[in-house]
Amino acid sequence: MASPPNAHHIDSAGLNERAQALLKTLIERYIRDGQPVGSRTLSRDSSLELSPASIRNVMADLEEMGLVISPHTSAGRVPTVKGYRMFVDSLLTIKPLGEQEVRSMEVQLRPSDEPQRILRAASSLLSEITSMAGVVLIPRREHESLRQVEFLPLSHNRVLAILVVNEREVQNKIIHTTRDYSSSELQQAANYLNQQFAGRALHQVRETLLQEMGEARTKMNELMLTTIEVASQTFAEEEAGSDYLLEGQTNLMGYQEMADIDRLRGLFDAFNRKRDILHLLDQSLGAQGLQIFIGEESGYQVLDACSVVTSPYKQGDQVVGVLGVIGPTRMAYDRVIPIVDVTARLLSAALNQAH
Amino acid sequence: MASPPNAHHIDSAGLNERAQALLKTLIERYIRDGQPVGSRTLSRDSSLELSPASIRNVMADLEEMGLVISPHTSAGRVPTVKGYRMFVDSLLTIKPLGEQEVRSMEVQLRPSDEPQRILRAASSLLSEITSMAGVVLIPRREHESLRQVEFLPLSHNRVLAILVVNEREVQNKIIHTTRDYSSSELQQAANYLNQQFAGRALHQVRETLLQEMGEARTKMNELMLTTIEVASQTFAEEEAGSDYLLEGQTNLMGYQEMADIDRLRGLFDAFNRKRDILHLLDQSLGAQGLQIFIGEESGYQVLDACSVVTSPYKQGDQVVGVLGVIGPTRMAYDRVIPIVDVTARLLSAALNQAH
DNA sequence: GGTTGGCACTCTCTAGAGGTGAGTGCCAGC
DNA sequence: GCTGGCACTCACCTCTAGAGAGTGCCAACC
């Protein structure tokens, strides 16, 4: 299933079948009601016919291996990150989504002229059906191919550059020039650029431009100088880079494990700061397939009490972004995993299909 | 001073000078350290030389008038909304901002080609210097005047419409037409529209268009039909309407009066839902000058523990938006009021001054 | 030898009791 | 009208006791 070999993968070897089964029921139970699970409960819950005493022996082993821990002497056991990891990697049984459910998701992700709208819809969708926070990384300009460029003269040495990319997305930029250009000068420059570069990736355009600029300028005619001036600014590297859409943050306030207001504030600050979350999502962009970060695995302290489930989505056959869900470590992985997986597929489909 | 006669205004009549002075020190003290203020403290703090016992008599009067309340029998007094209202309306002494402070605010609100950027800067600025949440209502399209319109043909009966408004703001819209138009057809349509409507307000353009559409179509030539088709869509009423920029929400998590996670969630949900906050800001848009909503005065339950200080800002000599600060009722009004006031002025200045 | 019941032990949680301190309301006297 | 005195109230803290849940260990059983 969607869970590929993961950097954090823990082998289930060294754990007999019974221990695995018990770990599984323990975690399922803990996910269900958030209380430490004791041996008596476990004995009733598991299909194994074992007395609490026997189960205690197994628990002692699991604790020694660092898969579970008891918050204090007389409480039941709670899974550790390592425990969750093993659960997710080798014990989990995924419930595939119902057809009905998939269809209703599909409705919310209909194709549109504005990709931004679909991305936001995906983020909302994720947050709504999981009751956690949904996140969608916005495709970077790098992946975009130029369809058309136009220039409009504004007053005071300013020119409005309009880029149409990917057939239906539009970007504007106001650039400042050394002198006022006439409408027709700009028209000519645009024609030249469209002829030369339509269909190419933006970063290719940028590189080629840089190269041409390097060549002796004296050789160039007036038109080329104009073109070079406006184009170099138009296609200049954006410093901003990547960004994401986050929805349903407030859902996270509903969970007890987030009840600590300082921890919560740290998390929300991280959402606003964006850097850490972006970095995490970028990582998932590289890996192929669904990714799960459990608790401290993410490497960011603010996410210590959270798990993040991500999946990349595509435009054409190229991965352009990642989407996912952020919630408490104690989340229903068996539901969240297929939800993230399906949403990624549906989003890809919607993006590839013009309105 | 910035505080205009307010709908909630309470007359200070019926309160002798001493009572006023004591209410003032009580509220100042309470704002400073958030604890109920007792008669002993008040006796030491106020410049009046009165024993605690005398002060208790005054307190009893103030309590009867509903200006203060004691959380329980043996605690000091805490101001009520009505108390804050009187404080703000007639007792408050405003500290004007230092020149230095104003200058450093000015730096963060430099003019820019992108008004959106300045608005965001204003919001951040407000949140940073007050350590509360800053909010800026985005000007509605209604207030914008058309400078230029252009059309680019896309594939599949789609046309990209580009509006340049207010000299330096750009808006895009993809519209769907009944047939493919050629570049030159669109160019002609754009020329016509620019000639007719440049400099007019968008809503004027819309009205005139509707009128022309109503006239018998048969009289029109091909060009006019084209023009009407693309223009009517381009200038169609936006359903979205108004929106705002909110920064520093997480600052609100620092205050004890917001420590209740459910109340906090309600507030954050309201921020996301936007409707209530927008409505409140719209109200302030109508009123001229600085406005203060204390606690329940706003009329929205989620804001019961908050105060909102707003001020409109202008483009040219027309009010186009509102900005403000949202924080706990117990805020330093004497600082917040001039900050909001000055920020509104600086923002207006920055917007009216092209880069 | 794995499994089980028994048992002592540990730890959290809750409720109640008692003490302390801050602050009040009221009253009599200045 | 102001003030000191005094009884009273209430939140808050600490301490204690008891209940409940669950554990670890051990000896016995199959």
Side-chain angles (χ1 to χ4, degrees), chain B residues 308-319:
Chain B
V308 184
V309 179
T310 66
S311 178
Y313 63 88
K314 296 181 185 177
Q315 208 155 25
D317 48 5
Q318 191 179 19
V319 168

Side-chain angles (χ1 to χ4, degrees), chain B residues 18 50-51 53-54 56 72-74:
Chain B
R18 176 197 290 180
L50 285 175
S51 77
S54 318
R56 277 191 294 252
H72 59 86
T73 345
S74 78

